[in-house]
């Protein structure tokens, strides 16, 4: 007896947003949630995959042990990725089982609420310094270049224990590494340079530990009887850089645009500073910057609704679609800063839920407690229609954000 074939595909994986609607997920998700919430789709990588779009189903499947994350990030959406590529040692993002649990145990204490709260004064000083620099400059301001990108990068520098005299170099390299607007050879050179830089940093911490994340990881791993290699430490550090820098930087800039395009909500925020924590959760839900969802390999059969996701098949869970599920978030396509949205899926769910989510929250809270207070007349310096968005990248955002304000008299 032969096994019945999987469900036939019902169309292409959604990748294109509606014209003039840069804050909404790609066209097609609303119909999928309503009519085919566990769909089979054709992906840009040339494979068929299950696509899960409803909130409850996303949570259910991401809680399953029958998935593997040891696959290329965004492999389904990139036609040039080798899908046979396994996870890299030290990658907490692309690892499973005990390998993942070991890394997560070593890192968990670095991202406790208490430790992250202790970073608030440093983060606030960074924000004030960069706003001061923008206000004092005679050059046109780009909120991406001058504010959103450097702040998360410098926070990562602080966590990793990068020396002050090396932070400008580290920041320049990381900006190139996470940019979509540079030539491949420039990106490759920056990648090589930053890997070498981090490797030298790791070796220096092994020889002379200080009070920083890398040094504590080295000590903790040694005490566990499973020391981390230089390669594992480099990959871990770079994973934190890319995951913590790219998502937060894009959230800062894109949230600013969303607030400027929703002046009633911005006025609510200005009038009620206590609204900031819930406002941040709502912006995380509404914007869902991990735009193409989470890509997984199915390793064990998973019953889901009326379907069975079979071992050997591929899966994509759409965080953006789950966050627009009206059965969980009424009027989900509207930005409502008073909404209780803390159960959103922006940080994923299950064993791989974002370890640095509290850090992202604190950075965003400090930014939006400060930016429109320090620059109350902040506005776009170009027509909204002229803004260019990152339609083809793992993390969605705006490429540049020219802004202006009224000079104080």
């Amino acid at each position: 007896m032969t096994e019945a074939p999987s469900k036939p595909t019902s169309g292409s994986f959604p990748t294109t947003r509606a014209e003039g609607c840069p804050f909404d997920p790609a066209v097609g998700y609303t119909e999928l949630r309503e009519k085919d919430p566990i769909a089979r789709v054709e992906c840009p990588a040339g494979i068929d995959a299950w696509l899960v779009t409803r909130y409850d189903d996303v949570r259910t499947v991401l809680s399953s042990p029958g998935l593997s994350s040891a696959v290329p990030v965004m492999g389904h959406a990139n036609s040039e990725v080798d899908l046979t590529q396994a996870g890299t040692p030290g990658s907490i993002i692309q690892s499973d089982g005990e390998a993942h649990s070991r890394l997560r145990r070593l890192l968990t204490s670095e991202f406790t609420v208490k430790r992250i709260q202790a970073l608030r004064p440093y983060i606030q000083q960074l924000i004030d310094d960069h706003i001061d620099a923008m206000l004092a400059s005679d050059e046109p301001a780009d909120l991406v270049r001058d504010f959103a990108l450097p702040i998360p990068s410098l926070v990562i520098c602080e966590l990793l224990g990068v020396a002050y005299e090396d932070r400008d170099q580290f920041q320049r390299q990381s900006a190139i590494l996470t940019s979509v607007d540079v030539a491949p050879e420039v990106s490759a050179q920056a990648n090589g340079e930053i890997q070498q830089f981090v490797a030298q940093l790791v070796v220096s911490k092994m020889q002379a530990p200080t009070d920083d994340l890398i040094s504590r990881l080295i000590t903790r791993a040694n005490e566990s009887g499973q020391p981390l290699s230089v390669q594992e430490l480099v990959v871990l550090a770079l994973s934190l850089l890319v995951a913590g820098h790219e998502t937060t930087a894009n959230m800062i800039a894109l949230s600013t645009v969303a607030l400027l395009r929703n002046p009633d909500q911005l006025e609510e925020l200005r009038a009620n500073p206590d609204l900031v924590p819930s406002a941040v959760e709502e912006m995380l839900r509404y914007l869902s910057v991990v735009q193409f969802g989470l890509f997984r390999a199915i390793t064990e059969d998973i019953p889901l609704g009326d379907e069975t996701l079979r071992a050997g098949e591929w899966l994509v869970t759409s965080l953006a679609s789950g966050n627009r599920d009206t059965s969980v978030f009424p009027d989900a396509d509207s930005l409502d800063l008073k909404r209780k949205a803390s159960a959103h899926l922006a940080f994923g769910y299950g064993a791989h839920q974002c370890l640095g989510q509290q850090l992202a929250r604190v950075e965003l809270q400090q930014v939006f407690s400060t930016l429109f207070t320090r620059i109350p007349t902040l506005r776009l310096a170009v027509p909204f229609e002229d803004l260019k968005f990152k339609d083809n990248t793992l993390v969605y955002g705006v490429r540049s954000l020219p802004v202006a304000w009224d000079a104080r008299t």
Side-chain angles (χ1 to χ4, degrees):
M1 180 177 178
T2 59
E3 187 177 273
S6 292
K7 178 179 179 179
T9 59
S10 58
S12 298
F13 181 82
T15 58
T16 305
R17 294 173 186 252
E19 190 72 26
C21 299
F23 307 125
D24 292 340
V27 175
Y29 278 119
T30 300
E31 184 176 359
L32 283 168
R33 281 195 308 272
E34 293 174 355
K35 299 179 180 179
D36 196 9
I38 308 170
R40 292 274 295 177
V41 296
E42 301 167 359
C43 297
I47 59 170
D48 295 342
W50 292 100
L51 175 60
V52 178
T53 53
R54 285 181 181 168
Y55 178 93
D56 287 340
D57 290 337
V58 170
R59 284 170 52 114
T60 296
V61 77
L62 287 179
S63 300
S64 170
L67 297 179
S68 172
S69 298
V71 295
V73 176
M74 207 177 78
H76 61 296
N78 190 337
S79 60
E80 299 180 0
V81 168
D82 178 5
L83 292 175
T84 65
Q85 176 187 352
T88 305
S91 173
I92 193 169
I93 298 170
Q94 294 173 280
S95 59
D96 298 318
E98 178 53 31
H100 173 258
S101 298
R102 171 196 173 217
L103 296 175
R104 197 163 180 106
R105 284 194 301 270
L106 291 172
L107 275 169
T108 296
S109 62
E110 297 298 325
F111 293 97
T112 61
V113 171
K114 181 178 180 181
R115 192 178 289 278
I116 297 306
Q117 291 295 337
L119 282 171
R120 275 192 193 268
Y122 175 74
I123 295 168
Q124 184 63 53
Q125 188 62 56
L126 286 178
I127 292 167
D128 287 331
D129 289 347
H130 283 79
I131 291 176
D132 288 344
M134 286 195 299
L135 293 174
S137 177
D138 294 329
E139 299 294 322
D142 177 351
L143 201 76
V144 171
R145 179 196 65 207
D146 301 329
F147 188 74
L149 284 175
I151 289 171
S153 176
L154 290 169
V155 172
I156 297 295
C157 283
E158 180 74 5
L159 285 175
L160 298 182
V162 177
Y164 283 97
E165 60 269 23
D166 293 330
R167 293 189 181 189
D168 285 345
Q169 175 191 357
F170 183 87
Q171 190 178 335
R172 283 194 301 271
Q173 291 168 334
S174 63
I176 295 171
L177 187 63
T178 55
S179 174
V180 296
D181 298 320
V182 298
E185 60 272 17
V186 175
S187 180
Q189 180 179 347
N191 184 49
E193 289 175 353
I194 202 165
Q195 288 209 35
Q196 183 179 12
F197 177 90
V198 174
Q200 292 171 345
L201 180 67
V202 165
V203 171
S204 72
K205 302 297 182 185
M206 286 179 162
Q207 295 170 344
T210 55
D211 186 18
D212 56 73
L213 183 149
I214 292 178
S215 297
R216 289 191 293 270
L217 275 182
I218 293 167
T219 300
R220 206 172 290 132
N222 289 344
E223 290 174 348
S224 75
Q226 293 181 291
L228 290 164
S229 68
V230 172
Q231 181 193 13
E232 287 178 309
L233 285 161
V234 169
V235 171
L236 261 179
L238 290 176
S239 298
L240 293 174
L241 166 65
V242 174
H245 175 272
E246 185 75 350
T247 51
T248 305
N250 280 291
M251 271 300 302
I252 290 171
L254 195 61
S255 297
T256 300
V257 181
L259 288 169
L260 291 172
R261 295 294 290 175
N262 289 270
D264 59 325
Q265 295 299 301
L266 177 54
E267 194 52 43
E268 288 268 12
L269 190 63
R270 284 187 173 124
N272 184 6
D274 292 340
L275 198 59
V276 167
S278 70
V280 164
E281 301 302 323
E282 171 66 353
M283 289 188 288
L284 286 162
R285 179 203 70 84
Y286 180 68
L287 298 172
S288 299
V289 294
V290 181
Q291 64 175 333
F292 295 125
L294 302 180
F295 182 50
R296 300 287 188 262
I298 302 171
T299 57
E300 301 174 10
D301 287 2
I302 303 172
L304 187 66
D306 295 330
E307 308 291 350
T308 298
L309 317 185
R310 295 197 181 112
E313 297 180 321
W314 301 104
L315 168 74
V316 183
T317 56
S318 177
L319 307 180
S321 177
N323 279 336
R324 295 299 183 96
D325 189 334
T326 55
S327 70
V328 180
F329 305 106
D331 194 20
D333 290 333
S334 296
L335 181 67
D336 178 3
L337 300 187
K338 292 183 177 179
R339 187 194 307 269
K340 303 301 182 185
S342 59
H344 60 74
L345 299 168
F347 294 117
Y349 194 74
H352 278 269
Q353 190 173 41
C354 177
L355 189 61
Q357 59 183 282
Q358 296 305 330
L359 176 59
R361 285 186 167 100
V362 168
E363 290 180 85
L364 293 168
Q365 288 168 8
Q366 295 306 116
V367 164
F368 291 107
S369 294
T370 307
L371 182 60
F372 290 101
T373 302
R374 293 283 315 274
I375 316 179
T377 57
L378 186 75
R379 61 182 181 274
L380 297 180
V382 298
F384 172 71
E385 293 73 21
D386 290 350
L387 295 178
K388 305 297 182 186
F389 294 88
K390 299 179 181 180
D391 295 316
N392 61 346
T393 57
L394 169 64
V395 182
Y396 185 64
V398 61
R399 294 176 185 271
S400 66
L401 186 54
V403 291
W405 53 84
D406 296 337
R408 292 185 178 180
T409 57

